[in-house]
């Protein structure tokens, strides 16, 4: 019987090191490798191309997502950029409209200038909207599910069907391979900002792409080596360390988020709570089909203007006011001012990212302390 997820998270790609027996994968802090004669080497010649610590992480990630291989990068944005580098001027990408602000910036302000065209479609109606937006020159479908920051859920299998053989990429940063495995639902590519839940401790920046396609794997390896936006060996070591506890951390993230979402739903100072695990979520049925649990992210709309949102956020003490997400510590942020400020104001408003919108990354602290902290911030808001 194949090892279960929790076992593979600890052992896949990470056997004891051969020479010393080191149980942990060593940090191979080297730039180059000795060759026995010109062109004859152990498979390692230059660290941009391969590094043993990075090899271990890439094998581990491929195992967790069910891919044939993965490619790691210096950040989630670098991973996104690498995928876009496989496209050519005149190619067309369909993306859901609710995406991380850095993703939108890369699409709209960088690669659009290089001749790639982008169409943004409603995330909540992705299969129908994608089918209508397809063109002969469409080369990629880009999904976040759940999306950032509005937590819309796209049914991956239905999107794959609507794509009519166009490759589908799923940004699985919020889901993680513990909660959701897009390749099992027909996706071609899975992208992670490993800065978030995979690293899990807010101490590393890294990204990755996993695939079941040998052709895509070869293309991404070529871009990885050519462009060189690779993570250093210490970064890879830190992500590997984080992944070892991914399963137990995600269960605690989910426990806390589920309880807080239910409580916030009845709070008089909250207009709306969006959490895929709530039966009130418009795509709850799709989340239930494709996710093991519903994650650690909650989006809520305060009954407040911008100044009220500031008072609420600056009143938090256990939740830290900071960008990013997915660490063991709870974070809160204001998308319109912080992570999604690169999206024009009229587009933010059209997508529902207004002045009262707050995104919570629920950590693994004690639930009672998190609830008390939020209640104290609501008192400050009042």
């Amino acid at each position: 019987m194949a090892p279960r997820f929790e076992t593979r998270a600890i052992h896949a790609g990470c056997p004891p090191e051969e020479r010393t027996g080191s149980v942990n994968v060593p940090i191979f802090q080297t730039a180059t490798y000795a060759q026995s004669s010109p062109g004859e080497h152990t498979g390692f010649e230059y660290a941009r191309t391969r590094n043993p610590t990075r090899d271990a992480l890439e094998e581990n990630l491929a195992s967790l997502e069910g891919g044939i291989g993965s490619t790691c990068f210096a950040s989630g944005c670098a991973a996104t950029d690498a995928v876009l580098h496989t496209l050519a001027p005149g190619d067309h990408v369909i993306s859901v409209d609710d995406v991380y602000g850095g993703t939108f910036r890369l699409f709209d302000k960088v690669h659009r200038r290089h001749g790639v065209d982008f169409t943004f479609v409603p995330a909540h109606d992705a299969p129908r909207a994608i089918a209508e937006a397809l063109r002969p020159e469409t080369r990629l479908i880009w999904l976040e599910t759940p999306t950032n920051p509005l937590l819309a859920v796209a049914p991956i299998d239905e999107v794959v069907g609507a794509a009519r053989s166009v490759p589908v990429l799923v940004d699985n940063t919020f889901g993680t391979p513990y909660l959701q495995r897009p390749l099992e639902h027909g996706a071609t590519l899975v992208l992670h900002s490993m800065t978030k839940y995979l690293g899990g401790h807010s101490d590393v920046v890294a990204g990755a792409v996993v695939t079941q396609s040998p052709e895509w794997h070869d293309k991404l390896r070529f871009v990885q080596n050519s462009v060189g936006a690779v993570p250093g060996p210490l970064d890879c070591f830190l992500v590997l360390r984080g992944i070892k506890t991914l399963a137990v951390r995600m269960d605690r993230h989910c426990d806390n988020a589920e309880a807080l979402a239910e409580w916030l739903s009845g709070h008089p100072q909250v207009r709306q709570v969006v959490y895929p695990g709530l039966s009130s979520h418009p795509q709850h049925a799709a989340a239930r089909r494709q996710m093991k649990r519903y994650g650690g992210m909650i989006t809520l709309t305060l009954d407040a203007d911008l100044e009220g949102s500031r008072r609420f956020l600056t009143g938090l003490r256990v939740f830290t006011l900071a960008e990013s997400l997915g660490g063991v510590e709870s974070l809160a942020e204001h998308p319109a001012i912080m992570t999604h400020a690169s999206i024009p104001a009229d587009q933010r408003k059209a997508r529902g990212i207004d002045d009262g919108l707050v995104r919570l990354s629920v950590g693994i602290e004690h639930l009672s302390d998190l609830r008390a902290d939020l209640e104290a911030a609501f008192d400050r808001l009042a």
Side-chain angles (χ1 to χ4, degrees), residues 271 300-306 309 334 353-358:
R271 290 206 305 266
L300 62 148
T301 303
L302 300 172
D303 189 12
D305 57 12
L306 179 59
S309 297
H334 193 271
I353 304 174
D354 63 20
D355 290 343
L357 194 77
V358 170

Side-chain angles (χ1 to χ4, degrees), residues 213-236:
S213 163
E215 179 187 1
W216 270 100
H217 185 59
D218 289 345
K219 287 195 291 187
L220 288 166
R221 279 285 193 211
F222 177 82
V223 173
Q224 181 194 49
N225 185 50
S226 300
V227 176
V230 294
L234 177 58
D235 300 328
C236 295

Side-chain angles (χ1 to χ4, degrees), residues 6 10-11 18 43 53 55 71 76 79 84 97 121 130 134 136 237-238 258 299 320 346 379:
E6 294 84 349
I10 294 169
H11 294 288
E18 290 183 1
T53 315
D55 274 10
T71 44
L84 297 175
D97 56 358
V121 301
I130 287 168
L134 282 172
F237 174 87
L238 289 171
E258 288 164 10
T299 296
T320 300
D346 60 333
D379 290 342

Side-chain angles (χ1 to χ4, degrees), residues 21 65 75 104 118 136 196 211 215 256 264 273 311 362 368:
E65 283 285 8
S75 67
F104 175 84
F118 295 88
K196 313 306 193 291
T211 185
E215 179 187 1
N256 284 347
L264 289 165
V273 176
R311 287 201 307 274
V362 180
S368 296

Side-chain angles (χ1 to χ4, degrees), residues 4-24:
R4 306 300 201 280
F5 182 95
E6 294 84 349
T7 304
R8 287 183 286 118
I10 294 169
H11 294 288
C14 302
E17 197 267 331
E18 290 183 1
R19 189 170 72 87
T20 66
S22 172
V23 172
N24 264 335

Side-chain angles (χ1 to χ4, degrees), residues 168-182:
V168 173
L169 178 146
V170 177
D171 185 330
N172 199 27
T173 298
F174 279 18
T176 82
Y178 182 63
L179 302 180
Q180 176 176 268
R181 283 189 281 282

Side-chain angles (χ1 to χ4, degrees), residues 196-220:
K196 313 306 193 291
Y197 288 107
L198 295 182
H201 294 78
S202 302
D203 58 5
V204 62
V205 175
V209 185
V210 188
T211 185
Q212 288 179 324
S213 163
E215 179 187 1
W216 270 100
H217 185 59
D218 289 345
K219 287 195 291 187
L220 288 166

